[in-house]
Amino acid sequence: MLKILANDGIHADGKAMLENAGIEVDTMKIPQEELMDKLNDYDGIIVRSATKVRADLIDACPNLKVIARGGVGLDNIDVQHASEKGIPVYNTPAASSNSVAELALGHMMNLSRFLHQSNRSMPTSGTTDFKVLKKSFGGGVELAGKTLGIIGLGRIGQEMARIALALRMKVLPVDPMVKEANINIEMYSSDEVGLSIKLKSVTMEKMLAEADYLTIHVPFSGGKPIIGSEEIAQMKKGSFIINTSRGGAVDEDALFEALQSGHIAGAGLDVFVNEPTPDERLLKMDNISLSPHIGAATHEAQRNIGIELAEKLIDFLLE
Ligand code: NAD
């Protein structure tokens, strides 16, 4: 019987699909240092970001036929080495796009109405200083009619655009590879006619100059930040920056300074340099809406990931 190790887990629906296809799924977590001895008992391994599948592990497991990664980034897998050995590596790039885009929207809404701050203040002084808080957290802004700059018009960027257009925002995407994209906005009931809106990429300069909100949806694995002090200086005073891509895509020092000076009114961060011990200075700022890298952590995304992986593994192992 074919056997798969889901070392970082798999959604129950994906597990059931594999089992119904006659593939045994082991969800017991084997510590990284023991995989060298134990992974060879399996035909395939499913990981998320925690388990590393490096060249030495691949070499130690000649029975391994397939590697699958739930999610997008493949930095924990030696993909090149696996493909040299004829082992395919599958991932699920689209499964969590809407979840990440909705989280970015959540941060935008928090910042626009001070929800991140009032959620901190109401429990401590909501009964004693209600009127003071009401005054402090008044003066919010609507998203409708504002301009959203989107860096990266790929899977998540397009989901973000779909949501923003439905909220009646103006969308300015920047993507050197995707010059234009048709964004389809389906209505909830499938009987209703949806809308299709063609978005064209604009220059970084135009987007920076016009955006009220800027959200980043590009891959980033180090090097020069996509948004640093030069780019921030080109943005409007009082604009907002959201980063749900990777820590470092926005220069944290430059962001800190811009938030302190008020040039940037607020930031929404799901990702940080130095995770899992991010810079405390940022965590303690009033004008940041925070989340601990949970962009893809929804039931829907996890289910999509499990099902997509199961389909790919069944196709590969049984077809
Ligand atoms: P994607 O590959 O579909 O799209 C990325 C787009 O960015 C591409 O169209 C590419 O042309 C564009 N791009 C690359 N460099 C650029 C640059 N310098 N300027 C402008 N555009 C640029 O990727 P995706 O599925 O949309 O995911 C985007 C990123 O989101 C991932 O790489 C990942 O780092 C991040 N992500 C985060 C979470 C989370 O939990 N917060 C979850 C999933 C993905």
Side-chain angles (χ1 to χ4, degrees):
M1 192 183 204
L2 290 163
K3 250 175 102 176
I4 297 280
L5 173 66
N7 211 40
D8 301 329
I10 180 169
H11 190 277
D13 290 356
K15 183 170 185 264
M17 277 176 71
L18 288 163
E19 287 170 347
N20 290 338
I23 299 170
E24 191 180 324
V25 183
D26 198 343
T27 51
M28 177 186 65
K29 173 97 185 168
I30 299 181
Q32 184 75 44
E33 60 280 9
E34 293 175 26
L35 279 173
M36 219 44 128
D37 291 333
K38 297 187 176 158
L39 183 59
N40 204 35
D41 296 342
Y42 297 89
D43 299 280
I45 181 167
I46 297 175
V47 299
R48 287 191 54 80
S49 55
T51 302
K52 316 277 178 258
V53 188
R54 298 282 172 231
D56 53 351
L57 181 60
I58 294 169
D59 289 341
C61 303
N63 288 337
L64 192 68
K65 297 177 185 64
V66 59
I67 301 168
R69 156 77 159 102
V72 187
L74 291 168
D75 29 324
N76 53 326
I77 299 168
D78 276 339
V79 179
Q80 174 75 27
H81 193 75
S83 69
E84 280 163 17
K85 296 251 162 180
I87 300 173
V89 178
Y90 295 115
N91 65 349
T92 57
S96 59
S97 303
N98 188 55
S99 293
V100 179
E102 286 192 9
L103 183 71
L105 172 72
H107 284 302
M108 283 160 54
M109 288 190 157
N110 277 351
L111 294 164
S112 303
R113 303 302 296 271
F114 310 104
L115 296 181
H116 57 302
Q117 292 176 2
S118 63
N119 273 320
R120 291 172 198 161
S121 305
M122 287 291 282
T124 53
S125 37
T127 53
T128 50
D129 293 325
F130 194 91
K131 284 186 175 168
V132 176
L133 296 182
K134 185 175 162 104
K135 204 162 174 214
S136 308
F137 302 137
V141 288
E142 291 187 1
L143 295 179
K146 300 297 183 304
T147 298
L148 175 66
I150 301 181
I151 304 187
L153 193 56
R155 287 172 291 254
I156 300 173
Q158 291 188 30
E159 289 295 344
M160 189 71 247
R162 198 185 321 276
I163 293 170
L165 289 168
L167 286 168
R168 293 175 289 141
M169 298 184 84
K170 178 179 175 187
V171 175
L172 293 179
V174 176
D175 193 315
M177 304 306 288
V178 183
K179 301 285 182 212
E180 60 177 48
N182 282 320
I183 306 296
N184 298 320
I185 304 172
E186 304 90 9
M187 297 297 150
Y188 181 70
S189 155
S190 55
D191 299 339
E192 305 270 345
V193 179
L195 287 174
S196 184
I197 294 168
K198 184 176 281 186
L199 278 183
K200 290 191 175 177
S201 236
V202 301
T203 61
M204 186 75 139
E205 290 72 24
K206 178 176 168 65
M207 184 278 292
L208 290 172
E210 295 184 21
D212 300 297
Y213 296 79
L214 166 59
T215 183
I216 300 159
H217 302 294
V218 300
F220 182 78
S221 51
K224 188 178 180 293
I226 313 280
I227 295 296
S229 49
E230 270 176 43
E231 288 75 20
I232 290 175
Q234 295 174 60
M235 292 179 70
K236 290 199 271 194
K237 182 168 167 38
S239 51
F240 298 92
I241 295 177
I242 318 296
N243 186 16
T244 58
S245 64
R246 281 288 179 268
V250 177
D251 182 321
E252 289 189 348
D253 291 332
L255 181 65
F256 181 78
E257 275 172 34
L259 286 165
Q260 263 196 329
S261 74
H263 183 71
I264 295 299
L269 298 181
D270 184 50
V271 289
F272 304 85
V273 173
N274 216 23
E275 290 178 25
T277 49
D279 185 346
E280 248 193 342
R281 281 180 317 162
L282 287 172
L283 304 188
K284 295 201 162 145
M285 291 197 90
D286 267 352
N287 44 357
I288 304 198
S289 171
L290 298 157
S291 53
H293 204 149
I294 53 167
T298 62
H299 291 295
E300 290 82 357
Q302 296 311 308
R303 182 170 182 274
N304 292 343
I305 286 171
I307 288 175
E308 199 178 325
L309 285 183
E311 285 170 351
K312 288 179 172 169
L313 290 176
I314 291 167
D315 271 1
F316 175 73
L317 290 169
L318 300 181
E319 299 287 300

